[in-house]
Amino acid sequence: MRRRILVAIVSVTAIATTVLTVPLALITFHRETDDAFRELQRASERTVAALPDTPGAAGQPIMFPDVPSDLHIAVYAPDGTKVAGNGPPTADPITRRAARIAIARVIGSDRVLAHPVVVDGRKVAVIRVTEPADEVDVRTRQAVLLLLAFDALAVAVAALVGWFVAARLSRPVRELRDDAVRLGHGDFAVTPRRTGVSEIDETSTALAETAERLEAMLSREREFSADASHQLRTPLAALRLSVETDLLDPRSDVDQVLDGVLTQIDRLDDTVTTLLAVARDRPGPRDRLDVGRFVRSVHARWDRAFTTANRKLTCRAEPGADVRVSLPVLDQIVDVLVGNAIEHGSGAVSVSLRSSPEGRLVLEVIDAGAIVRDPSQLFRRRDPSASGHGVGLNLARSLAEAEGGRLVLSSPAPTTFRLVLPGRDLSGPGPQ
């Protein structure tokens, strides 16, 4: 890239100087030519001023003015005879032809000006002034060489400036390339760079934002994998228990067995769909919650697990609760809390739903156990001091916040987790 930028700058400068030099050379040539004829004209006029009244008359010498050594002046009579000066013995055709006005021509290697001297309408003499024709070429060549020297200097300066510009542009571009390579290898620590070049700065900012989005997306996908594996353990265990129970003690009603299996499969599908939607930040529809039906479904899902563990589950709801919520998300939160209660708690477990005075829905899961850990670390993801996987409570809180609610440990003994969800008006203040 550096070489291309340098070549481009030097090429543009060379083309620009060439475009300017060619017409300047032509203008210089024409100007030098005009100057040469004006110089001949001035010399002839000074000679005319120094002529006697009767040029060529005996005893009347002609005084030629001082002129450069390369100029030659001669005076000719009307018949073409040389009277005085430095010139051919007889007038050339240009000198003979000059009758009323001056004539300038290039003859051979000389530039010739024939200036007639007219007195009372009669030509009495002709002044012939010459100089080498290559004088104009010499002066033009010198001027062109000077222009070319400036052109060479301009190209050299352009090359120097181009080298600095190319270095300045190529360095941040290489850094962008390195950032892109690191991003491709999974390193998302890409920060925006400030180079002073707006286009490169915008590209660097866009790359950093892309890295941030990719990191967030990858993090959500990893969390989804962990959450899904954690949340699928319970329905898979229930499905396995149901199948093993029917293998050991087959029921006569096969349809009932298959319905139970399909119910567990539907739970698996709902779990994956819900967690994937949350991981991709795609909230699902919120419908009005039938609290009575909801607590019955919770009891139906967990009754066999509590019976197997020889523990008691109580689910109750106060009438009048009115809330719009994503039911699959609420199911996941309750399953996390009830699953933690049966796995890490003790004694009977109760799930209760009621309305707060502010019109919010309050759900509490209580067991007879006690939590001695720091409550501020309880919802930390992958907490090393957690007795389980350190995933469930963090997931439950994230799901609650996605619904505009809040999940807290309201009492460590007996262990009480409280979920507060907003009422029908979701635009109001959040839960306290």
Side-chain angles (χ1 to χ4, degrees):
M1 176 181 177
R2 177 181 296 183
R3 183 178 62 85
R4 289 196 295 269
I5 293 176
L6 181 59
V7 169
I9 292 177
V10 172
S11 299
V12 169
T13 304
I15 293 173
T17 54
T18 301
V19 170
L20 292 175
T21 300
V22 170
L24 284 176
L26 294 175
I27 293 172
T28 301
F29 174 76
H30 289 295
R31 185 193 63 191
E32 293 295 339
T33 301
D34 293 340
D35 289 346
F37 281 115
R38 280 195 294 270
E39 185 179 9
L40 297 178
Q41 182 71 31
R42 287 194 297 269
S44 66
E45 291 175 352
R46 291 170 61 191
T47 303
V48 171
L51 288 178
D53 295 337
T54 56
Q60 291 185 341
I62 298 176
M63 302 299 294
F64 291 98
D66 293 332
V67 294
S69 59
D70 57 347
L71 290 182
H72 303 289
I73 305 174
V75 180
Y76 291 86
D79 59 359
T81 304
K82 184 174 74 171
V83 176
N86 188 359
T90 59
D92 54 31
I94 298 298
T95 306
R96 291 178 181 275
R97 199 161 50 243
R100 297 292 180 182
I101 59 174
I103 300 176
R105 296 286 188 276
V106 175
I107 302 175
S109 61
D110 293 328
R111 180 171 284 102
V112 180
L113 173 70
H115 187 167
V117 180
V118 180
V119 178
D120 296 332
R122 181 173 61 89
K123 183 172 73 172
V124 297
V126 178
I127 309 299
R128 183 180 184 269
V129 185
T130 64
E131 73 169 354
D134 60 359
E135 285 294 326
V136 171
D137 297 336
V138 171
R139 291 194 293 268
T140 302
R141 190 180 303 112
Q142 292 174 348
V144 171
L145 289 176
L146 183 61
L147 289 175
L148 292 177
F150 280 111
D151 292 347
L153 179 61
V155 171
V157 172
L160 182 62
V161 173
W163 186 84
F164 282 108
V165 171
R168 182 188 178 192
L169 292 178
S170 61
R171 183 175 62 255
V173 170
R174 286 197 305 271
E175 292 173 349
L176 281 178
R177 178 203 61 191
D178 296 339
D179 289 342
V181 171
R182 289 192 294 107
L183 180 59
H185 290 162
D187 183 2
F188 301 104
V190 178
T191 57
R193 302 181 182 275
R194 292 294 174 263
T195 63
V197 182
S198 59
E199 292 78 4
I200 295 180
D201 292 346
E202 291 172 0
T203 303
S204 178
T205 301
L207 184 63
E209 292 175 352
T210 300
E212 184 178 355
R213 288 194 298 269
L214 288 176
E215 183 179 21
M217 184 182 303
L218 184 59
S219 177
R220 288 197 301 268
E221 294 294 339
R222 288 172 178 169
E223 290 180 3
F224 164 74
S225 300
D227 296 342
S229 62
H230 180 273
Q231 290 301 100
L232 291 178
R233 290 171 61 250
T234 299
L236 281 174
L239 180 60
R240 182 182 183 87
L241 178 63
S242 177
V243 173
E244 289 178 348
T245 300
D246 281 288
L247 287 176
L248 293 175
D249 185 15
R251 284 177 284 181
S252 59
D253 190 351
V254 178
D255 291 339
Q256 184 180 3
V257 175
L258 295 178
D259 286 341
V261 171
L262 288 176
T263 299
Q264 297 299 332
I265 292 175
D266 289 339
R267 282 194 62 201
L268 291 174
D269 182 68
D270 291 341
T271 298
V272 173
T273 301
T274 301
L275 296 180
L276 187 60
V278 173
R280 293 177 177 176
D281 198 18
R282 297 176 180 174
R286 291 180 171 90
D287 300 320
R288 184 173 180 179
L289 178 66
D290 185 340
V291 293
R293 183 178 179 181
F294 174 73
V295 295
R296 289 193 297 270
S297 68
V298 172
H299 191 277
R301 288 201 306 271
W302 288 95
D303 181 62
R304 177 173 291 189
F306 275 85
T307 300
T308 304
N310 197 25
R311 294 172 64 183
K312 182 180 180 182
L313 173 65
T314 303
C315 299
R316 63 180 184 275
E318 295 181 2
D322 189 9
V323 67
R324 291 186 180 275
V325 68
S326 174
L327 183 59
V329 172
L330 184 59
D331 280 338
Q332 296 299 322
I333 297 174
V334 173
D335 284 348
V336 169
L337 298 178
V338 175
N340 271 8
I342 195 174
E343 185 173 353
H344 306 293
S346 61
V349 177
S350 67
V351 178
S352 63
L353 277 82
R354 59 182 175 83
S355 293
S356 68
E358 296 82 8
R360 300 185 180 95
L361 180 71
V362 180
L363 183 146
E364 290 183 334
V365 177
I366 306 172
D367 68 77
I371 293 180
V372 296
R373 295 173 53 207
D374 182 2
S376 63
Q377 299 295 320
L378 193 62
F379 295 93
R380 178 183 173 189
R381 189 175 186 86
R382 298 295 187 186
D383 182 8
S385 61
S387 58
H389 296 81
V391 172
L393 289 177
N394 177 271
L395 171 62
R397 170 168 280 186
S398 299
L399 294 174
E401 291 174 350
E403 289 299 307
R406 187 176 181 185
L407 175 64
V408 297
L409 176 68
S410 61
S411 172
T415 303
T416 304
F417 287 95
R418 177 178 298 166
L419 171 66
V420 182
L421 295 176
R424 176 176 296 180
D425 185 7
L426 298 178
S427 62
Q432 304 295 327

